[in-house]
């Protein structure tokens, strides 16, 4: 449940102020986590978001599963990381690549 959201949405119907974050996890029966390795980068094209540039999967749009993971991701921007998450190959507003719902992140040694 989300309460007290003010402001207007953009033409995609998805913009809220920077202090509002909406997190969604798929049902447990859909959740198949996988590991990806790549460079975590910031992108400002469709609003600030993070992407994982991988060798095998191309660009994955990184969506944190919760606020703790979001904070961890911010620590590793610009670095090689190993990310555990759920790959979602469905339409999204970013038009950059599939969404990767991140459950955990750690530096690639």
């Amino acid at each position: 449940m989300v309460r007290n959201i003010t402001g207007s949405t953009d033409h995609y119907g998805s913009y809220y102020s920077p202090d509002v974050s909406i997190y969604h996890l798929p049902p447990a029966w859909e959740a198949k986590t996988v590991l990806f390795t790549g460079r975590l980068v910031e992108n400002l094209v469709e609003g600030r978001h993070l992407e994982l540039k991988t060798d095998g999967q191309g660009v994955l749009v990184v969506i944190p599963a919760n606020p703790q993971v979001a904070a961890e991701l911010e620590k590793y921007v610009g670095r090689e990381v190993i990310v555990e998450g759920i790959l979602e190959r469905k339409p999204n507003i970013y038009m950059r690549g599939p969404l990767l719902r991140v459950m955990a992140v750690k530096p690639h040694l």
Side-chain angles (χ1 to χ4, degrees), residues 22-44:
I22 299 173
Y23 299 96
H24 164 74
L25 292 176
W29 56 269
E30 285 183 21
K32 295 179 183 159
T33 61
V34 290
L35 295 177
F36 294 98
T37 302
R39 179 172 294 278
L40 191 61
V41 298
E42 177 183 50
N43 187 304
L44 302 173

Side-chain angles (χ1 to χ4, degrees), residues 41-51 53 59 96:
V41 298
E42 177 183 50
N43 187 304
L44 302 173
V45 174
E46 292 102 355
R48 184 184 186 278
H49 64 277
L50 299 179
E51 297 176 347
K53 294 196 175 205
V59 174
R96 302 269 307 151

Side-chain angles (χ1 to χ4, degrees), residues 9-93:
T9 61
D10 66 3
H11 64 279
Y12 291 112
S14 60
Y15 174 77
Y16 295 103
S17 65
D19 54 332
V20 173
S21 295
I22 299 173
Y23 299 96
H24 164 74
L25 292 176
W29 56 269
E30 285 183 21
K32 295 179 183 159
T33 61
V34 290
L35 295 177
F36 294 98
T37 302
R39 179 172 294 278
L40 191 61
V41 298
E42 177 183 50
N43 187 304
L44 302 173
V45 174
E46 292 102 355
R48 184 184 186 278
H49 64 277
L50 299 179
E51 297 176 347
L52 186 68
K53 294 196 175 205
T54 70
D55 288 333
Q57 295 287 325
V59 174
L60 303 174
V61 177
V62 173
I63 306 294
N66 59 55
Q68 292 79 21
V69 171
E72 284 295 308
L73 286 165
E74 291 295 336
K75 289 193 238 178
Y76 297 117
V77 173
R79 294 179 57 189
E80 292 287 324
V81 293
I82 299 171
V83 173
E84 179 182 357
I86 300 166
L87 192 59
E88 297 181 4
R89 294 187 183 274
K90 60 185 181 182
N92 65 74
I93 67 165

